[in-house]
Amino acid sequence: MASKSVSSASGIKIQEKMQRDENSKLHVIIAGAGLGGLGAAIAIALAGHDVTVLEAVPEVAEIGAGIQVLPNAARVLFSWGLEDALEPHATRPRQCNFWGWRGNRLGEMDFHGYTRAARAPFWDFHRANLQGVLMRRAEELGAKIITDAKVVDFTVSEAEDEDEDEVIVQLESGRALKADLLVGADGINSRLREIFLGKEDPPTPTGDLAYRLLLNTRDMMTDPELRAFVDDPQVNYWVGPDAHAVNYVLRGGKLFNMVLLVPDDIPPDSVRNTVAGDVEEMRARFEGWDPRLAKLSALCDTSERPILKWRLCIRPGLEPAWSHPSGAFTMLGDAVHATLPYLASGAGMALEDGGVLGLCLGRIKAKSKSEKKKALEVYEACRRERTERVVKRGSYNQWIYHLHDGPEQEARDERFRKFGEWEKEWLGGENPVLPTVQETGDDPFPWRYHGVARWLLTYDMWKDVEEKWDLTMAGEKTETKGEGGGIGDGEIDDVVQAVASL
């Protein structure tokens, strides 16, 4: 029943599909065909189980915009045998830059250097391309994907014989499906989460919203300042009072993804978190900022693509557990730990969730309740602390990015400079390797060595599952403590709470 593995072009081991007999093969239903749901479908199919994905919309269309894939997420994708399929769709930014709101350079990060140090790349995708590759791989592995299949309810039927418990999934059409395990991957506004909790449980607004824009790069090529963004792909952040902006190239230089993050002015009683935006209002919000941002926003053609405002919400966590006591239901991704996009890690955490869940289910030896519960216990032990930490850091970045000019901003900018000098020396050394350490440093550039790189970018899901599985088998506690130093999670908690009270 053990799986075989070979290596990808990047040297990352590729999982091969496990073979199982019917006594240990689960039928798993996944609600949601987003990145996390499709990732889970791949990983669970590789573990040798039967998978059905239910997607509420009639057709999985080309929606969304840019997705940043950091080395930790790239490692997961490559382990599913997707490096070659993804490569034609990827943009490989040379570096990431942080700018002050007036256009003054604060710091940079050598993505290519970090690719060597982390043993995996930084890639940018249009969401539709990444989703399409995941879908094809899931189907190739035998997963069934059913569209126009909105889940409206589920019940767990626990039999006296623990080998016979099941979950019954009710669709809006009236159809009912049975499974050994249901995975809620239905996003930040998860219906399955509320069914599980037995109450309404809306996500928490953060006080920010996003304008998401896709520009055609042909309109940028006549301006030397803007053309440089296309000719030399990089990720750019501008940070300033109460707002910031992000942009990068997609689809081989054909599209330019830009996200503008500003205070949330959608009425609190709005029943929708996505509403129509006004382009002039958007431009006015960044008046006086780096002139390059004004040039870019001037290229926004609302006749081609309407402007939308997206209220940004989070889900800080879920107590006491992510899974049903029967072992017949669990959740992943935004349904359980939605984060601000300010660490570029929401998609990465969902992909890691799916990968870890598949590895845990790959270890079960029977379809029994006890085996499923053990697998889900290890899955949550691997994922809870890490994902909650990412949510907290995203909220911390909301504060550190949006400082007004003054002493705190000046101290932040000095740290950008100081740690940038250290970075050049470290990366310029002989064969630098990014160590795995659970320490958060003082660098405000989040993905660098003295930011969160050492615990975020280095994640090894195989090692994590192995260690947590052994601890669970031994009946020991599965919680791990981060090493001290730097700003630490305690200080991040204080900042997050302060921001939430504003």
Side-chain angles (χ1 to χ4, degrees), residues 328-384:
F329 172 76
T330 194
M331 291 179 286
L332 61 74
D334 284 354
V336 67
H337 51 68
T339 180
L340 277 167
Y342 300 172
L343 194 60
S345 290
M349 290 303 104
L351 293 168
E352 284 184 6
D353 286 351
V356 169
L357 182 57
L359 291 178
C360 290
L361 293 175
R363 288 173 170 260
I364 69 170
K365 298 177 181 178
K367 296 170 62 174
S368 66
K369 180 190 299 184
S370 61
E371 286 286 287
K372 289 190 293 181
K373 287 178 66 175
K374 180 167 60 180
L376 296 186
E377 179 183 348
V378 175
Y379 161 65
E380 186 172 338
C382 291
R383 302 306 301 155
R384 175 184 284 274

Side-chain angles (χ1 to χ4, degrees), residues 68 70 92-99 105-114 122 124 232-238 245-248 344 401 416 423 445-448:
Q68 295 185 67
L70 308 184
R92 304 160 193 77
R94 179 173 61 85
Q95 70 179 31
C96 180
N97 306 295
F98 266 75
W99 308 88
R105 180 181 288 277
L106 299 178
E108 60 277 332
M109 178 178 178
D110 181 351
F111 274 178
H112 290 177
Y114 265 86
F122 294 79
D124 296 334
D232 184 14
Q234 301 177 39
V235 178
N236 294 285
Y237 283 74
W238 287 260
V246 188
N247 62 36
Y248 49 89
Y401 291 175
F416 269 115
E423 287 275 315
F445 206 126
W447 307 283
R448 293 196 305 204

Side-chain angles (χ1 to χ4, degrees), residues 346-502:
M349 290 303 104
L351 293 168
E352 284 184 6
D353 286 351
V356 169
L357 182 57
L359 291 178
C360 290
L361 293 175
R363 288 173 170 260
I364 69 170
K365 298 177 181 178
K367 296 170 62 174
S368 66
K369 180 190 299 184
S370 61
E371 286 286 287
K372 289 190 293 181
K373 287 178 66 175
K374 180 167 60 180
L376 296 186
E377 179 183 348
V378 175
Y379 161 65
E380 186 172 338
C382 291
R383 302 306 301 155
R384 175 184 284 274
E385 181 180 354
R386 179 169 170 82
T387 55
E388 290 179 356
R389 197 175 188 190
V390 165
V391 174
K392 289 177 182 177
R393 180 66 195 210
S395 297
Y396 174 84
N397 287 351
Q398 180 183 25
W399 171 75
I400 201 74
Y401 291 175
H402 294 176
L403 290 175
H404 285 240
D405 291 351
E408 284 185 317
Q409 164 263 321
E410 291 171 359
R412 178 201 66 190
D413 294 356
E414 174 59 21
R415 294 201 303 275
F416 269 115
R417 184 198 63 78
K418 180 182 70 173
F419 286 108
E421 291 178 354
W422 185 93
E423 287 275 315
K424 292 177 182 177
E425 183 177 346
W426 176 65
L427 282 176
E430 185 176 354
N431 297 322
V433 176
L434 190 62
T436 301
V437 180
Q438 297 305 312
E439 179 181 346
T440 296
D442 291 329
D443 191 347
F445 206 126
W447 307 283
R448 293 196 305 204
Y449 186 105
H450 285 105
V452 302
R454 288 168 290 171
W455 62 261
L456 179 65
L457 305 185
T458 59
Y459 184 64
D460 184 333
M461 65 180 181
W462 298 272
K463 182 179 179 181
D464 197 16
V465 170
E466 181 78 34
E467 291 178 349
K468 298 295 196 308
W469 194 274
D470 289 346
L471 286 170
T472 300
M473 292 292 288
E476 300 175 8
K477 289 181 66 176
T478 57
E479 295 180 357
T480 57
K481 298 287 187 179
E483 296 182 20
I487 59 173
D489 290 337
E491 184 176 334
I492 289 178
D493 286 343
D494 293 340
V495 172
V496 171
Q497 290 172 11
V499 171
S501 67
L502 296 179

Side-chain angles (χ1 to χ4, degrees), residues 15 28 30-47 51-53 73 76-82 86 127 130-139 141 143 145 183 185 332-333 347-359 361 379 461:
Q15 301 174 62
V28 180
I30 300 170
L35 303 181
L38 291 171
I42 292 169
I44 296 170
L46 284 169
V51 180
T52 300
V53 181
V76 175
L77 291 167
F78 293 179
S79 79
W80 295 336
L82 294 176
L86 287 170
R127 181 185 181 90
L130 178 55
Q131 188 175 20
V133 170
L134 290 172
M135 184 174 295
R136 288 189 288 275
R137 180 60 170 150
E139 291 179 321
L141 290 166
I145 299 175
V183 180
L332 61 74
M349 290 303 104
L351 293 168
E352 284 184 6
D353 286 351
V356 169
L357 182 57
L359 291 178
L361 293 175
Y379 161 65
M461 65 180 181

